[in-house]
Amino acid sequence: MTRKIIMAGNWKMYKTVDEATELVEQLKEALADVTGREILVCPPFTALSAVAQALEGSNIQLGAQNLYPAEEGAYTGEISPRMLVDAGCRYVILGHSERRQYFGEIDPFINHKLQVALAHGLRPILCVGETLEQRGEGRQKTVVSMQVYRGLQGIGAEAMKDVAIAYEPIWAIGTGQTATPGQANEMHWAIRNNVEGLFGSEVAQETSIMYGGSVKPDNVDELMAQPDVDGVLVGGASLSAESFLRIVKFQS
Ligand code: PGA
């Protein structure tokens, strides 16, 4: 089994260029010796180029938080995959629950973004997750599997080597309430089954499934100890070097 471990920071709408470069300067030195995991930061668009430059020669990768699925064109306010590649991005977060909730993004649009990202050599991180209400009704697996099926529609098995999935229960994002390691693993296992249904067991075993939602230095170790948790997508705790470093250097 060769699943990649991906430890990612999603900076959301935080950090000016100066703040962003200061943070990665701290991270890159402290993480220089860390191996066996992919380390990733996803700054806002305005800081991508500066962070790319600061990260040159380091073992930290760059990702974006979104893209618009067109090569170029009259799409005021949007950023194309070509621009992301040009800025030095290797990854892109797609379908984050905040995009779904505040910007009305729905599965077919997210699927289109995923296909376009892959066509440009970007590695998409497809975010899925249920609301508290859906969990309360016991529908979390149905909701998440629909997001997985629709999000990955039309993707070839071969392309899946570049796709990661992030399970982020909406009730755990920014709330300080984390899924228990057991709850996370149960959902990750279910997602892996969905991937197996679509692409077969070999692809399912090799797909990295990350957990996101109030990941902190004090819960990362037990989350990462779960057999189907292959990394984390960290919001709030990725904004300070001290906490993100501890998270990336999780102890298993
Ligand atoms: P959080 O955000 O770690 O602040 O809960 C996670 C995410 O939204 O990716």
Side-chain angles (χ1 to χ4, degrees):
M1 193 173 65
T2 55
R3 269 198 315 256
K4 252 198 301 262
I5 300 290
I6 307 173
M7 309 301 283
N10 170 13
W11 295 359
K12 307 194 179 183
M13 200 174 73
Y14 293 96
K15 306 283 182 200
T16 61
V17 171
D18 282 352
E19 290 163 353
T21 38
E22 192 189 323
L23 177 53
V24 289
E25 287 300 340
Q26 290 173 284
L27 295 177
K28 71 177 183 186
E29 274 177 40
L31 294 174
D33 296 336
V34 176
T35 55
R37 60 207 69 174
E38 198 101 331
I39 308 165
L40 172 66
V41 292
C42 304
F45 291 135
T46 47
L48 287 175
S49 290
V51 170
Q53 255 181 6
L55 289 179
E56 231 165 85
S58 79
N59 58 350
I60 304 176
Q61 311 255 6
L62 187 66
Q65 300 172 20
N66 187 27
L67 58 70
Y68 188 78
E71 183 78 13
E72 59 183 6
Y75 301 102
T76 301
E78 294 299 320
I79 304 284
S80 78
R82 237 181 107 218
M83 293 167 180
L84 297 184
V85 172
D86 184 48
C89 290
R90 186 77 183 91
Y91 283 84
V92 61
I93 299 170
L94 295 178
H96 190 280
S97 63
E98 287 151 13
R99 304 279 334 157
R100 295 177 191 256
Q101 189 180 347
Y102 305 134
F103 304 99
E105 291 196 8
I106 53 172
D107 293 317
F109 185 49
I110 295 162
N111 172 254
H112 186 197
K113 291 184 178 198
L114 205 114
Q115 305 213 22
V116 173
L118 287 168
H120 282 81
L122 288 163
R123 294 179 174 162
I125 298 175
L126 171 66
C127 300
V128 297
E130 81 285 359
T131 63
L132 191 56
E133 191 186 355
Q134 289 162 338
R135 178 166 279 265
E137 293 163 354
R139 295 198 293 125
Q140 63 272 24
K141 285 187 188 157
T142 319
V143 167
V144 166
S145 68
M146 285 313 288
Q147 291 172 341
V148 170
Y149 289 137
R150 290 174 177 157
L152 296 179
Q153 202 168 11
I155 306 297
E158 173 59 22
M160 281 301 291
K161 67 176 186 333
D162 288 323
V163 177
I165 298 172
Y167 168 61
E168 300 203 303
I170 293 168
W171 47 272
I173 295 179
T175 58
Q177 199 184 339
T178 330
T180 63
Q183 279 173 328
N185 200 65
E186 190 186 346
M187 291 301 290
H188 284 223
W189 192 82
I191 291 168
R192 203 174 302 288
N193 265 331
N194 299 150
V195 175
E196 181 169 342
L198 288 170
F199 305 104
S201 70
E202 201 175 317
V203 170
Q205 286 308 317
E206 294 192 345
T207 300
S208 301
I209 305 177
M210 304 150 75
Y211 171 80
S214 296
V215 175
K216 303 279 182 262
D218 62 7
N219 60 23
V220 66
D221 296 344
E222 47 176 3
L223 285 162
M224 288 304 298
Q226 300 299 309
D228 283 298
V229 176
D230 311 313
V232 287
L233 182 53
V234 188
S238 71
L239 297 173
S240 95
E242 193 191 357
S243 56
F244 191 58
L245 287 172
R246 172 63 184 86
I247 288 170
V248 173
K249 295 180 178 179
F250 71 92
Q251 283 145 26
S252 51

